[in-house]
Amino acid sequence: MPVPHSWVESANGPDADFPLHNLPYGVFDAGEGARIGVAIGDQILDLPAATAATGLAPEIVRACGTASLNALMSLGPAHWSALRRWTTEQLRAGAPASQALIPMKDAAMKLPVEIGDYTDFFTSVYHANNVAGFLRPDQSLWPNYKYLPVGYHGRASSVILSGTPVRRPRGQMKPAGAERPSFGPCHMLDYELEAGFFTGPGNLLGDPVPIDAAPGHIFGACLLNDWSARDIQFWESQPLGPFLSKSFSTSISPWVIPMSALEPFRVPAFPRATGDPAPLPHLYSQADQQRGGIDLTVEVYLLTPRMRDAGAAPARLTRGNFRDMYWTVAQMLAHHTSNGCNLRPGDLLGSGTISGATPDSLGCLLELTRAGADAIRLPNGEERCFLEDGDEVILRGYCERGEPGRGDHLRIGFGECRGVVLPPRPQPCAD
Ligand code: CA
C-alpha cells in the first residue's frame, strides 16, 4: 500500500484529483459568503479560518481573507511558496486534524478571480494547420505562425464558472451558397479544449517582461472551454478575427492549480521540426526550452440528453496533451508584454485549442468532423457534427507520472469544466 500523504483520507487514492501535492485554490460559499479555499481530496480547507492566527506574513493572511484570488496572485512567488509550504504542513499525514475543513458537497464554487482582461492564443500548430486547411485550402499555415504566438483579445465579462449553462447565441452568418447573410441562432456551435493561465504580479505599462522572468508572473492554471459559434465566426472574422462568435461565453474550471504543483510534470518545449525557424531572441530562453512544456493530459467528454436519460456515462471524444503546444506559457506572456502592454494580477491567458497529431487528439468538433462533413458517432448510435441543445461538454485534465501503487507515482487532477447548451432565447419582437 502506498504511504498516505495526508490525514484527509480522500486525498490519498491513486486517482484523487486533489492530493497533498496539488493544493489548488478556489473560491467557495458554504453559507457565509465567498471565501478562499484549498482543495484537498473531497474537502475544502477554509483558508481565512485556517490562517487567522498563524505566523504567516500579514499580507498573506489579508489576501486569504478576501473573496477572490487576485490579492494572493499579486503577492508573487516568495509569498506563494510560503503559503504552500504552510498549507502542506497543516494537511500532511501526522499533523493535527483541522476544524477548518468543509465537504465540497456542502459548498457552491464561485468564479475564483476577478478577471480584468482575457486573451486567447492559438498555440497548437496541429490545430492551426487544420483550421488553415478549412479557411485557406489553397494556402499553407499563416506566415507569422512560427515566429510569434498568435492571439486576440477576448471578452472578460462573459467568462463563466464550470456548471453555468451556455445559451446558444444568435448572430449574423452567411452559409455557403447563400447570396446574402442572415441573422439567427447559431447552427454550428462548438467547444474548444484549452488550458487557461492566470497572471500573478503585473508589469508596469511600458515595461516588457523578459522571457526568463515570465514564470514569476504566472500564478496557476485551469481548464478553459472557448465556446465557438463557427458559422458566425466564418462570416465575421475577416479581416480582424473572432468577435461575437466567441464573446457569448467562455467556461473555466473552479480550481486554480498552482504552477508549483505542475513543476514535477514539466517537460522540454515542443520540439520544432527541422527547417522551422528558431524563436527570435526575446522569445527564446534556454531554461524555457528545457522545461517550458507541461505534460498535461486533457480530455473532452460529451453527454447528450438521450445519454443522460438512459443513465449512460459521458462519451470521450478526445484525449490530447498540452506538451504538443508549439509555444510555451512563458513565450505567450513575454510576447504579450513585448510591446509594453501591462498585464494585471488575475488576467487570463487561454492557450488556444489543444490538438495533437492524431485523429483522437483533436480539441474541437470543427476538426473532429472536418467542419461538419463527417459526423462523429457516439456509443449509443447518435451522431453529431456540432453541439445540439441539451448537450453537455465536460473537460477533464490531469498530470501523471510513474506507476500507480509504486513509490514514484505522482498524479494531480484539474477537476472538471462543464457546460450544458441551452436553446436560444426567443427572438425579441421588433414592435
Ligand atoms: Ca480559442
Side-chain angles (χ1 to χ4, degrees):
M1 279 291 286
V3 182
H5 297 283
S6 172
W7 54 263
V8 182
E9 280 186 20
S10 57
N12 297 323
D15 295 326
D17 272 352
F18 307 123
L20 186 68
H21 39 273
N22 191 348
L23 302 182
Y25 296 98
V27 172
F28 70 98
D29 186 345
E32 296 179 44
R35 297 163 78 87
I36 294 177
V38 171
I40 179 78
D42 59 5
Q43 306 286 311
I44 301 172
L45 181 69
D46 179 332
L47 219 44
T51 57
T54 61
L56 284 165
E59 55 268 40
I60 297 179
V61 176
R62 265 199 307 276
C64 291
T66 62
S68 78
L69 299 181
N70 298 67
L72 184 57
M73 290 171 162
S74 73
L75 292 179
H79 284 90
W80 303 339
S81 297
L83 179 57
R84 185 170 170 80
R85 273 196 306 275
W86 181 87
T87 310
T88 304
E89 282 306 313
Q90 304 307 303
L91 294 171
R92 76 164 61 251
S98 167
Q99 300 302 307
L101 276 195
I102 289 161
M104 284 184 182
K105 64 178 175 47
D106 295 340
M109 297 308 293
K110 301 287 181 187
L111 208 57
V113 182
E114 287 178 28
I115 301 167
D117 276 297
Y118 159 46
T119 304
D120 198 27
F121 287 90
F122 189 57
T123 61
S124 159
V125 71
Y126 301 109
H127 175 68
N129 262 319
N130 290 334
V131 173
F134 300 132
L135 299 181
R136 300 155 42 98
D138 50 337
Q139 297 173 68
S140 58
L141 196 63
W142 290 267
N144 59 0
Y145 189 84
K146 294 179 175 176
Y147 287 93
L148 55 85
V150 170
Y152 69 96
H153 287 293
R155 184 79 195 164
S157 66
S158 51
V159 176
I160 56 176
L161 191 68
S162 169
T164 310
V166 172
R167 181 75 65 179
R168 180 180 297 274
R170 291 177 187 276
Q172 191 179 120
M173 60 203 78
K174 186 170 176 293
E179 258 183 45
R180 290 147 60 90
S182 55
F183 183 86
C186 163
H187 296 297
M188 299 170 73
L189 185 61
D190 202 354
Y191 57 81
E192 288 189 341
L193 166 65
E194 301 196 19
F197 294 88
F198 285 104
T199 54
N203 56 305
L204 295 176
L205 181 64
D207 280 355
V209 176
I211 184 162
D212 276 321
H217 292 263
I218 304 165
F219 176 83
C222 65
L223 299 169
L224 184 151
N225 183 347
D226 179 24
W227 301 92
S228 298
R230 300 300 184 192
D231 37 9
I232 300 171
Q233 183 183 355
F234 292 156
W235 174 235
E236 75 170 4
S237 289
Q238 310 157 58
L240 288 186
F243 182 37
L244 304 183
S245 56
K246 303 276 191 174
S247 62
F248 58 96
S249 282
T250 305
S251 301
I252 60 169
S253 53
W255 294 104
V256 180
I257 314 298
M259 295 310 283
S260 47
L262 297 172
E263 227 10 76
F265 309 101
R266 286 290 194 165
V267 291
F270 183 80
R272 293 188 165 218
T274 309
D276 279 7
L280 293 182
H282 70 295
L283 298 177
Y284 182 86
S285 139
Q286 201 171 359
D288 187 52
Q289 289 297 305
Q290 287 170 351
R291 301 272 295 161
I294 305 171
D295 182 6
L296 162 63
T297 300
V298 283
E299 299 171 333
V300 180
Y301 293 78
L302 183 66
L303 185 67
T304 69
R306 254 179 64 188
M307 292 161 72
R308 193 180 301 119
D309 291 346
R316 196 181 80 219
L317 305 185
T318 292
R319 177 178 285 157
N321 196 300
F322 191 78
R323 65 189 302 167
D324 287 337
M325 304 304 262
Y326 196 81
W327 296 98
T328 67
V329 188
Q331 286 173 321
M332 288 182 233
L333 191 132
H335 175 62
H336 203 315
T337 63
S338 62
N339 65 343
C341 170
N342 52 329
L343 297 175
R344 294 174 294 186
D347 282 357
L348 176 61
L349 310 182
S351 64
T353 306
I354 303 168
S355 289
T358 56
D360 59 354
S361 63
L362 302 176
C364 61
L365 288 172
L366 178 72
E367 291 174 83
L368 280 174
T369 70
R370 301 193 322 110
D374 297 329
I376 52 168
R377 201 172 173 80
L378 300 172
N380 67 353
E382 284 185 282
E383 292 189 341
R384 284 292 184 278
C385 287
F386 289 98
L387 297 172
E388 297 189 3
D389 294 343
D391 284 354
E392 184 170 26
V393 177
I394 303 156
L395 312 185
R396 293 178 186 155
Y398 59 91
C399 299
E400 187 165 25
R401 70 173 204 198
E403 294 289 324
R406 286 184 17 188
D408 64 346
H409 182 246
L410 206 55
R411 182 192 188 280
I412 61 170
F414 277 54
E416 289 185 336
C417 179
R418 305 176 79 106
V420 65
V421 176
L422 298 182
R425 284 187 202 288
Q427 180 116 36
C429 295
D431 50 8

